[in-house]
Amino acid sequence: MKLAPSLLVLGGLATALSTTTIATAADLHPLEVKLLAINDFHGNLKSPGGIKIKDPADPTKTISVPAGGSEAMATLVKEKRASAKHSVFVAAGDLIGASPLLSALFADEPTIESLSAMGLEVSAVGNHEFDKGVTELLRKQNGGCQSDKACLALHPFVGAKFKYLAASTTYKDSGKTIFPAYEIKTFEGISIAFVGLALKGTPDIVLPSGVAGVEFHDEAATVNALIPELKAKGIESVVVLIHEGGFPTGDYDECPGISGPIVDIVKKLDPAVKVVVSGHTHKAYNCAIDGKLVTSGDKFGTIVTDIDLKIDHQTRQIVEAKAHNVIVRTDTYAKDPEQTALIAAYEKVAGPLIERPVGKIAATLPKAEAPSGEIALGDLIADAQLAATKAADKGAAVIAVTNPGGIRADLVKKREDGTVTYGDIFAVQPFSNNLVTLTLTGEELDTMLEQQWLNQPKPRILQISKGFSYTWSEAKPAGEKVDIASITLDGKPIDPKASYRVTVNNFLADGGDGFKVFRKAKDQLPGIFDVDALEDYLKTAGLIEAPKLDRIVKAP
């Protein structure tokens, strides 16, 4: 049977209308992609306790919410991904390093395995990824057992299933990046580029010898230089994962005001970048900066940032980006069985060491700074390091100094009798830095103290042992903060020309945190690990009371 010409025309018109309708629907309904983001996990497979937020009942107060850990995080991530047709799980660095003993004892392999199991896909490199040097970081990505702590527990290490990205970190000799600059994910024919960056200042805050041979370039300039390359591949949607951050004034899921390096970086980024996942400052925020969504998810796995993207099918550009910082509540999200099994397997090996008693404290010793910059816990650590080296064979130490960045947690009184364990003190000092006793002149001691303010994003007040003291003035310019006449040892002014034996950790001895004066030191003598010095001190000191904060004086 033949159709009449008029029916053929109508049929063709119906087909055309149907095609037009489909095309219009695609335009009206942009591609939706969910991003789930974390940062600064630092190997916290178990909950660190929680997160402080504004009290919903009274915003003038704060409350602590139980949160964090891989078991609850894995469940949250699975639930969020199950609700979305398209999703990507990303991170902004410092997934490892400065980790609790459960992860650190095994070269952070448990953390790599944990994040791989929960489906992490890409991550920027943070400064703590470089704690053990570039070679060890490459092993974390690629696998293998060529490490002093590797493959100690369960099985050979196969490496991360997720990809590290390092657009701004290159080898000096070749100019090539140590990891790929970006990763491309494609959904329904539309691609999104994820560019990963370490912070430019990484060499100043890690062991300098660990990053010898590599360079860290300007973050914004690196991204902007990649945009033409990405556009040439037809990619118009760009997400930046950067291990640098800011300091907000609001609660965990808002941003009434933010300062810090991330603000200037974001303002310099090409307009093609619509989303920036940040980290490093251990803060939580959800911001709009210069037309870009900028997020950060606190630290230690207490928050997963849930980001919803809408991408136009024709322009392939992100036309909408919204985020919510979701607290990984341990009283809400069930424990993921795979993560529970992983933790149990490593705890079986590490448990006896973690729970080994080492001493007693009368009250929690905080890592918070007094107005002078002195830290009660810093005093204790410095005293312990002096005690460990005051009888050194090659000139006994008379002063001990430690960097505040090496103090990673409060020493918490968890038990009624005040007992602290090796796991507790390792959480405070997780880097396993060796002590080094060296010789400085009195004049170099003054230089050391002045370098607390020189070329620093904010003052890095060194913690000092009992008997050593000085006064500094906020009103004085950098380089003149400390009057050398105020520097005393056992109540007597130091002699600028005399020599003094000083104990530091190997991070400082190598010039870490910008304290380059230590590189000039003579007669360097290596010692035990810093955490072992603290253990030895606690074992013999009896019940530890909080030291008086009278060693560092801030002039009015």
Side-chain angles (χ1 to χ4, degrees):
M1 174 180 171
K2 291 185 179 181
L3 293 174
S6 59
L7 292 177
L8 288 173
V9 171
L10 288 173
L13 179 60
T15 302
L17 286 173
S18 175
T19 303
T20 303
T21 301
I22 293 171
T24 303
D27 292 338
L28 292 175
H29 299 284
L31 172 68
E32 296 182 356
V33 179
K34 182 179 291 293
L35 307 183
L36 298 172
I38 61 172
N39 56 273
D40 297 274
F41 186 61
H42 288 291
N44 279 261
L45 298 172
K46 302 184 74 174
S47 170
I51 180 174
K52 290 183 178 180
I53 64 172
K54 288 182 180 179
D55 186 346
D58 183 358
T60 64
K61 299 178 180 178
T62 60
I63 59 172
S64 182
V65 176
S70 67
E71 293 167 295
M73 181 192 290
T75 299
L76 187 159
V77 169
K78 286 181 180 178
E79 289 182 4
K80 292 289 184 181
R81 299 195 79 169
S83 69
K85 182 179 180 181
H86 305 300
S87 64
V88 188
F89 184 17
V90 303
D94 273 12
L95 303 178
I96 57 175
S99 307
L101 191 57
L102 181 61
S103 182
L105 185 63
F106 308 105
D108 276 323
E109 291 171 8
T111 296
I112 298 293
E113 292 175 7
S114 168
L115 294 172
S116 295
M118 69 175 76
L120 184 67
E121 295 173 70
V122 292
S123 177
V125 287
N127 53 287
H128 282 286
E129 263 80 18
F130 293 95
D131 279 348
K132 302 300 180 182
V134 175
T135 300
E136 174 62 7
L137 176 54
L138 291 169
R139 188 188 73 84
K140 294 293 199 308
Q141 178 73 84
N142 301 319
C145 297
Q146 297 77 35
S147 170
D148 60 344
K149 295 181 180 179
C151 304
L152 291 180
L154 305 177
H155 42 245
F157 179 61
V158 299
K161 293 181 180 179
F162 58 89
K163 292 182 180 180
Y164 272 118
L165 304 176
S168 58
T169 308
T170 61
Y171 292 107
K172 289 181 181 178
D173 56 358
S174 67
K176 295 181 179 179
T177 57
I178 65 170
F179 290 116
Y182 54 84
E183 175 77 356
I184 298 171
K185 299 288 183 179
T186 303
F187 305 98
E188 299 179 18
I190 297 176
S191 295
I192 307 170
F194 294 87
V195 181
L197 305 141
L199 72 158
K200 183 180 178 181
T202 296
D204 297 325
I205 53 177
V206 301
L207 195 66
S209 57
V211 291
V214 296
E215 295 179 318
F216 294 80
H217 305 283
D218 182 84
E219 303 96 338
T222 298
V223 174
N224 294 345
L226 289 171
I227 297 300
E229 178 181 330
L230 295 172
K231 286 182 177 292
K233 294 182 177 182
I235 300 170
E236 299 290 341
S237 295
V238 181
V239 174
V240 168
L241 312 174
I242 180 171
H243 193 71
E244 182 59 286
F247 301 94
T249 60
D251 205 12
Y252 72 97
D253 195 30
E254 59 184 26
C255 187
I258 186 169
S259 60
I262 195 65
V263 177
D264 288 337
I265 292 171
V266 169
K267 289 181 177 179
K268 294 176 184 176
L269 290 175
D270 189 282
V273 178
K274 300 298 184 186
V275 178
V276 178
V277 177
S278 65
H280 186 54
T281 56
H282 290 196
K283 303 297 182 182
Y285 45 83
N286 181 2
C287 302
I289 301 175
D290 200 35
K292 298 173 176 60
L293 175 67
V294 183
T295 68
S296 179
D298 196 56
K299 60 188 181 299
F300 305 159
T302 57
I303 281 178
V304 171
T305 305
D306 184 355
I307 304 170
D308 289 314
L309 304 182
K310 290 185 178 180
I311 303 173
D312 185 270
H313 281 270
Q314 291 185 330
T315 66
R316 298 173 174 262
Q317 295 177 349
I318 297 172
V319 292
E320 182 177 292
K322 294 183 179 180
H324 294 287
N325 278 334
V326 182
I327 297 176
V328 184
R329 296 191 63 132
T330 53
D331 59 357
T332 300
Y333 295 99
K335 293 182 178 180
D336 178 79
E338 185 176 16
Q339 295 292 324
T340 300
L342 184 150
I343 290 171
Y346 280 104
E347 278 188 324
K348 185 176 182 179
V349 180
L353 177 60
I354 293 172
E355 297 302 324
R356 185 174 76 200
V358 298
K360 293 186 177 183
I361 55 176
T364 293
L365 294 171
K367 73 182 191 74
E369 293 184 353
S372 67
E374 191 171 353
I375 300 170
L377 186 50
D379 287 353
L380 173 65
I381 291 169
D383 289 347
Q385 294 180 358
L386 179 61
T389 54
K390 65 182 181 181
D393 294 336
K394 191 177 179 181
V398 294
I399 300 167
V401 175
T402 194
N403 58 306
I407 306 170
R408 303 301 296 186
D410 297 340
L411 184 56
V412 180
K413 183 181 178 181
K414 300 177 180 177
R415 303 160 188 89
E416 188 173 348
D417 67 351
T419 295
V420 292
T421 67
Y422 190 81
D424 294 331
I425 64 172
F426 192 90
V428 172
Q429 291 190 285
F431 294 108
S432 297
N433 285 324
N434 285 98
L435 299 184
V436 179
T437 302
L438 42 77
T439 299
L440 294 177
T441 65
E443 190 173 35
E444 288 171 333
L445 284 172
D446 180 51
T447 299
M448 172 193 79
L449 296 176
E450 294 291 357
Q451 287 181 346
Q452 295 174 129
W453 291 272
L454 291 173
N455 302 315
Q456 303 283 10
K458 63 178 183 176
R460 298 185 192 275
I461 304 299
L462 297 168
Q463 303 304 298
I464 56 179
S465 56
K466 187 176 182 180
F468 188 48
S469 182
Y470 70 95
T471 300
W472 66 274
S473 172
E474 191 168 39
K476 296 286 186 179
E480 301 176 20
K481 294 282 188 183
V482 179
D483 181 355
I484 192 171
S486 75
I487 306 173
T488 62
L489 179 62
D490 297 328
K492 299 178 181 179
I494 62 164
D495 180 349
K497 301 301 180 184
S499 295
Y500 298 88
R501 292 292 281 168
V502 181
T503 294
V504 298
N505 57 45
N506 62 296
F507 171 74
L508 284 175
D510 202 26
D513 273 351
F515 290 96
K516 297 179 181 179
V517 66
F518 291 115
R519 294 181 183 176
K520 301 178 181 179
K522 300 176 182 178
D523 303 321
Q524 295 196 14
L525 180 68
I528 63 175
F529 288 128
D530 51 9
V531 68
D532 293 336
L534 183 56
E535 178 184 19
D536 291 344
Y537 188 76
L538 289 169
K539 281 180 176 179
T540 60
L543 184 66
I544 297 291
E545 302 280 353
K548 294 181 180 180
L549 300 178
D550 57 2
R551 304 176 189 184
I552 303 172
V553 180
K554 181 180 178 182

